[in-house]
Amino acid sequence: MRLLTHNMLSSNIKGVANGFPLLIEVEKVIEKQVDFNPDFLKNIFPKIEWQALVQASRSMGYSELPEESPESSMLDSDDFLMKFHHVLLELHLEEGALVCPETGRKFPVNKGIPNMLLHEDEV
Amino acid sequence: MSLRTAQIRLVSSHPEVYEPCDDSFALVDALLADRINLVEHHPVLCMEVGCGSGYVITSLALMLGQEVPGVQYIATDINPYAVEVTRKTLEAHNVHADLINTDIASGLEKRLAGLVDVMVVNPPYVPTPEDEVGREGIASAWAGGENGRAVIDKILPSADKLLSKRGWLYLVTLTANDPSQICLQMMEKGYAARIVVQRSTEEENLHIIKFWRDFDIQMDAKDIVPNKAAPVGVMDTLLSQVHRLSFRRSASSNNN
């Protein structure tokens, strides 16, 4: 699972009011190169919750994203775009867990696939 | 020539995962038939709900390929074996989708709302007793409850949430699912529809329907549906098509 998807995923347990962002417990992170596409990055940028992305990237061992939500003028900077690209699309949580910020319930991630299936009493 | 669809020999399998079949081929044929439009549409995010073997999402990624650079793909399935098989199928074709083992789009509906430009769905559409719906393993690939609508009726509101303003939905339906009623229901939500592929096999009569947002349709629907009057325009053509096909099918089965 990449951080693009992490940024779109919330805890889906019944009764949880604020299930976003899910905390990340890392066992294994892998990197896979993806073609750099500035248009995609500019399109998706306004939809990204910046703090969640920064927090997630730090859990994954990457600390070069600016803490503060960047001005949209930053999208003209190739240096910034490359970092944003790397964090969003090239870092994969291969093994680990996603943790509901409200209940602490862990959703396991195996072979890069988060298991968001709920138990009967959580639906 | 570059490959436009997934290759069957590279599609992974598992006893508990639905293998590509007539319905999967019909959906991929519909996407191929509409490929030029899809390329021009230039989607940013594409999603498959119920990815099964991965044949459809892999084919979509291959057919958009280099012509639409930078598209990202997300696929879900409730069956843990299916997402695993999809992962292998994608890898065998050297394409990527982020996979989530979840029920329809559970966990994604809040943050992914309004972001999906293309959604493809081959739902469990086979009419079965209601208690067969939601069982584990391969049954989740086909068990559709009464009229095969139990899961479809959960997917449609979810699709409506996730699709972007310019979002398109490609849905596989069976005549028994009452596609014209599905189209009317979507029309009330503001979607126009068209049948991209219609295919009859020995066992089933499939329609692959494409839905897209159309504000005029929504206005029409508000006038029409409460009064139960006949639909007009695009929907009229579509519905008459569906009715005719349904009629033809029931007529032929009466003869048999």
mmCIF file of all heavy atoms in Angstrom, chain A residues 38-58:
data_model
loop_
_atom_site.group_PDB
_atom_site.id
_atom_site.type_symbol
_atom_site.label_atom_id
_atom_site.label_comp_id
_atom_site.label_asym_id
_atom_site.label_seq_id
_atom_site.Cartn_x
_atom_site.Cartn_y
_atom_site.Cartn_z
ATOM 1 N N PRO A 38 4.321 15.140 -13.321
ATOM 2 C CA PRO A 38 3.958 16.371 -12.608
ATOM 3 C C PRO A 38 2.462 16.683 -12.700
ATOM 4 O O PRO A 38 1.880 17.194 -11.736
ATOM 5 C CB PRO A 38 4.766 17.462 -13.323
ATOM 6 C CG PRO A 38 5.804 16.754 -14.109
ATOM 7 C CD PRO A 38 5.323 15.383 -14.379
ATOM 8 N N ASP A 39 1.824 16.357 -13.829
ATOM 9 C CA ASP A 39 0.396 16.664 -13.961
ATOM 10 C C ASP A 39 -0.424 15.922 -12.928
ATOM 11 O O ASP A 39 -1.329 16.478 -12.310
ATOM 12 C CB ASP A 39 -0.113 16.301 -15.368
ATOM 13 C CG ASP A 39 0.427 17.250 -16.417
ATOM 14 O OD1 ASP A 39 0.852 18.360 -16.029
ATOM 15 O OD2 ASP A 39 0.440 16.882 -17.602
ATOM 16 N N PHE A 40 -0.104 14.609 -12.762
ATOM 17 C CA PHE A 40 -0.820 13.844 -11.745
ATOM 18 C C PHE A 40 -0.641 14.491 -10.375
ATOM 19 O O PHE A 40 -1.603 14.667 -9.619
ATOM 20 C CB PHE A 40 -0.337 12.389 -11.700
ATOM 21 C CG PHE A 40 -0.913 11.633 -10.534
ATOM 22 C CD1 PHE A 40 -2.223 11.177 -10.572
ATOM 23 C CD2 PHE A 40 -0.179 11.437 -9.369
ATOM 24 C CE1 PHE A 40 -2.790 10.525 -9.479
ATOM 25 C CE2 PHE A 40 -0.731 10.786 -8.276
ATOM 26 C CZ PHE A 40 -2.040 10.328 -8.338
ATOM 27 N N LEU A 41 0.592 14.866 -10.055
ATOM 28 C CA LEU A 41 0.882 15.426 -8.732
ATOM 29 C C LEU A 41 0.117 16.725 -8.512
ATOM 30 O O LEU A 41 -0.430 16.961 -7.432
ATOM 31 C CB LEU A 41 2.388 15.656 -8.591
ATOM 32 C CG LEU A 41 3.235 14.374 -8.659
ATOM 33 C CD1 LEU A 41 4.708 14.714 -8.762
ATOM 34 C CD2 LEU A 41 2.966 13.484 -7.449
ATOM 35 N N LYS A 42 0.056 17.562 -9.562
ATOM 36 C CA LYS A 42 -0.657 18.835 -9.428
ATOM 37 C C LYS A 42 -2.158 18.614 -9.283
ATOM 38 O O LYS A 42 -2.841 19.334 -8.560
ATOM 39 C CB LYS A 42 -0.355 19.725 -10.639
ATOM 40 C CG LYS A 42 1.070 20.269 -10.594
ATOM 41 C CD LYS A 42 1.465 20.989 -11.876
ATOM 42 C CE LYS A 42 2.969 21.288 -11.830
ATOM 43 N NZ LYS A 42 3.460 21.846 -13.086
ATOM 44 N N ASN A 43 -2.668 17.582 -9.990
ATOM 45 C CA ASN A 43 -4.095 17.255 -9.872
ATOM 46 C C ASN A 43 -4.470 16.770 -8.486
ATOM 47 O O ASN A 43 -5.524 17.097 -7.953
ATOM 48 C CB ASN A 43 -4.468 16.143 -10.872
ATOM 49 C CG ASN A 43 -4.766 16.690 -12.245
ATOM 50 O OD1 ASN A 43 -5.323 17.777 -12.362
ATOM 51 N ND2 ASN A 43 -4.391 15.968 -13.277
ATOM 52 N N ILE A 44 -3.610 15.936 -7.924
ATOM 53 C CA ILE A 44 -3.963 15.258 -6.678
ATOM 54 C C ILE A 44 -3.620 16.119 -5.454
ATOM 55 O O ILE A 44 -4.217 15.948 -4.394
ATOM 56 C CB ILE A 44 -3.293 13.851 -6.610
ATOM 57 C CG1 ILE A 44 -4.061 12.907 -5.672
ATOM 58 C CG2 ILE A 44 -1.838 13.931 -6.197
ATOM 59 C CD1 ILE A 44 -5.318 12.337 -6.239
ATOM 60 N N PHE A 45 -2.692 17.047 -5.620
ATOM 61 C CA PHE A 45 -2.206 17.833 -4.478
ATOM 62 C C PHE A 45 -3.333 18.443 -3.627
ATOM 63 O O PHE A 45 -3.323 18.310 -2.394
ATOM 64 C CB PHE A 45 -1.236 18.930 -4.954
ATOM 65 C CG PHE A 45 -0.744 19.820 -3.863
ATOM 66 C CD1 PHE A 45 0.225 19.381 -2.959
ATOM 67 C CD2 PHE A 45 -1.267 21.097 -3.705
ATOM 68 C CE1 PHE A 45 0.664 20.199 -1.932
ATOM 69 C CE2 PHE A 45 -0.825 21.925 -2.677
ATOM 70 C CZ PHE A 45 0.142 21.478 -1.793
ATOM 71 N N PRO A 46 -4.334 19.107 -4.252
ATOM 72 C CA PRO A 46 -5.382 19.732 -3.421
ATOM 73 C C PRO A 46 -6.213 18.725 -2.631
ATOM 74 O O PRO A 46 -6.902 19.105 -1.683
ATOM 75 C CB PRO A 46 -6.279 20.448 -4.445
ATOM 76 C CG PRO A 46 -5.599 20.367 -5.757
ATOM 77 C CD PRO A 46 -4.548 19.324 -5.692
ATOM 78 N N LYS A 47 -6.167 17.440 -3.031
ATOM 79 C CA LYS A 47 -6.988 16.419 -2.357
ATOM 80 C C LYS A 47 -6.251 15.760 -1.201
ATOM 81 O O LYS A 47 -6.836 14.959 -0.465
ATOM 82 C CB LYS A 47 -7.383 15.317 -3.347
ATOM 83 C CG LYS A 47 -7.824 15.781 -4.700
ATOM 84 C CD LYS A 47 -9.148 16.511 -4.632
ATOM 85 C CE LYS A 47 -9.625 16.867 -6.046
ATOM 86 N NZ LYS A 47 -10.783 17.771 -5.976
ATOM 87 N N ILE A 48 -4.966 16.049 -1.065
ATOM 88 C CA ILE A 48 -4.149 15.375 -0.061
ATOM 89 C C ILE A 48 -4.217 16.109 1.283
ATOM 90 O O ILE A 48 -4.099 17.330 1.339
ATOM 91 C CB ILE A 48 -2.679 15.288 -0.545
ATOM 92 C CG1 ILE A 48 -2.580 14.426 -1.820
ATOM 93 C CG2 ILE A 48 -1.754 14.757 0.543
ATOM 94 C CD1 ILE A 48 -2.911 12.964 -1.644
ATOM 95 N N GLU A 49 -4.437 15.355 2.354
ATOM 96 C CA GLU A 49 -4.345 15.898 3.712
ATOM 97 C C GLU A 49 -2.862 15.932 4.065
ATOM 98 O O GLU A 49 -2.251 14.884 4.312
ATOM 99 C CB GLU A 49 -5.100 14.992 4.689
ATOM 100 C CG GLU A 49 -6.599 15.131 4.634
ATOM 101 C CD GLU A 49 -7.103 16.264 5.522
ATOM 102 O OE1 GLU A 49 -6.297 16.821 6.313
ATOM 103 O OE2 GLU A 49 -8.303 16.582 5.418
ATOM 104 N N TRP A 50 -2.300 17.139 4.074
ATOM 105 C CA TRP A 50 -0.849 17.255 4.159
ATOM 106 C C TRP A 50 -0.272 16.681 5.448
ATOM 107 O O TRP A 50 0.709 15.936 5.432
ATOM 108 C CB TRP A 50 -0.423 18.710 3.963
ATOM 109 C CG TRP A 50 1.054 18.795 3.777
ATOM 110 C CD1 TRP A 50 1.976 19.188 4.690
ATOM 111 C CD2 TRP A 50 1.781 18.384 2.614
ATOM 112 N NE1 TRP A 50 3.252 19.072 4.169
ATOM 113 C CE2 TRP A 50 3.146 18.581 2.885
ATOM 114 C CE3 TRP A 50 1.407 17.877 1.368
ATOM 115 C CZ2 TRP A 50 4.149 18.299 1.965
ATOM 116 C CZ3 TRP A 50 2.403 17.593 0.448
ATOM 117 C CH2 TRP A 50 3.747 17.805 0.749
ATOM 118 N N GLN A 51 -0.874 17.055 6.574
ATOM 119 C CA GLN A 51 -0.329 16.579 7.855
ATOM 120 C C GLN A 51 -0.308 15.054 7.923
ATOM 121 O O GLN A 51 0.641 14.454 8.428
ATOM 122 C CB GLN A 51 -1.148 17.138 9.031
ATOM 123 C CG GLN A 51 -0.960 18.626 9.259
ATOM 124 C CD GLN A 51 0.518 19.028 9.384
ATOM 125 O OE1 GLN A 51 1.319 18.320 9.966
ATOM 126 N NE2 GLN A 51 0.879 20.160 8.797
ATOM 127 N N ALA A 52 -1.353 14.440 7.397
ATOM 128 C CA ALA A 52 -1.428 12.967 7.402
ATOM 129 C C ALA A 52 -0.305 12.382 6.553
ATOM 130 O O ALA A 52 0.295 11.360 6.912
ATOM 131 C CB ALA A 52 -2.785 12.505 6.879
ATOM 132 N N LEU A 53 -0.020 13.044 5.438
ATOM 133 C CA LEU A 53 1.037 12.550 4.545
ATOM 134 C C LEU A 53 2.418 12.689 5.196
ATOM 135 O O LEU A 53 3.244 11.774 5.130
ATOM 136 C CB LEU A 53 1.004 13.305 3.209
ATOM 137 C CG LEU A 53 1.960 12.779 2.139
ATOM 138 C CD1 LEU A 53 1.527 11.389 1.660
ATOM 139 C CD2 LEU A 53 2.051 13.731 0.952
ATOM 140 N N VAL A 54 2.641 13.832 5.849
ATOM 141 C CA VAL A 54 3.931 14.064 6.510
ATOM 142 C C VAL A 54 4.136 13.031 7.617
ATOM 143 O O VAL A 54 5.176 12.365 7.700
ATOM 144 C CB VAL A 54 4.008 15.500 7.086
ATOM 145 C CG1 VAL A 54 5.269 15.674 7.920
ATOM 146 C CG2 VAL A 54 3.960 16.516 5.953
ATOM 147 N N GLN A 55 3.098 12.873 8.432
ATOM 148 C CA GLN A 55 3.154 11.924 9.545
ATOM 149 C C GLN A 55 3.418 10.501 9.016
ATOM 150 O O GLN A 55 4.276 9.782 9.538
ATOM 151 C CB GLN A 55 1.806 11.982 10.269
ATOM 152 C CG GLN A 55 1.750 11.270 11.600
ATOM 153 C CD GLN A 55 0.311 11.298 12.141
ATOM 154 O OE1 GLN A 55 -0.509 12.148 11.763
ATOM 155 N NE2 GLN A 55 -0.007 10.366 13.015
ATOM 156 N N ALA A 56 2.704 10.136 7.963
ATOM 157 C CA ALA A 56 2.859 8.794 7.382
ATOM 158 C C ALA A 56 4.271 8.610 6.822
ATOM 159 O O ALA A 56 4.905 7.576 7.040
ATOM 160 C CB ALA A 56 1.821 8.565 6.292
ATOM 161 N N SER A 57 4.770 9.646 6.127
ATOM 162 C CA SER A 57 6.098 9.506 5.516
ATOM 163 C C SER A 57 7.160 9.351 6.597
ATOM 164 O O SER A 57 8.123 8.603 6.441
ATOM 165 C CB SER A 57 6.407 10.695 4.603
ATOM 166 O OG SER A 57 6.593 11.880 5.351
ATOM 167 N N ARG A 58 6.974 10.028 7.724
ATOM 168 C CA ARG A 58 7.951 9.888 8.821
ATOM 169 C C ARG A 58 7.889 8.490 9.417
ATOM 170 O O ARG A 58 8.926 7.908 9.738
ATOM 171 C CB ARG A 58 7.694 10.952 9.886
ATOM 172 C CG ARG A 58 7.915 12.313 9.237
ATOM 173 C CD ARG A 58 8.181 13.434 10.156
ATOM 174 N NE ARG A 58 8.581 14.559 9.288
ATOM 175 C CZ ARG A 58 8.619 15.803 9.649
ATOM 176 N NH1 ARG A 58 8.310 16.147 10.893
ATOM 177 N NH2 ARG A 58 8.993 16.741 8.811
#
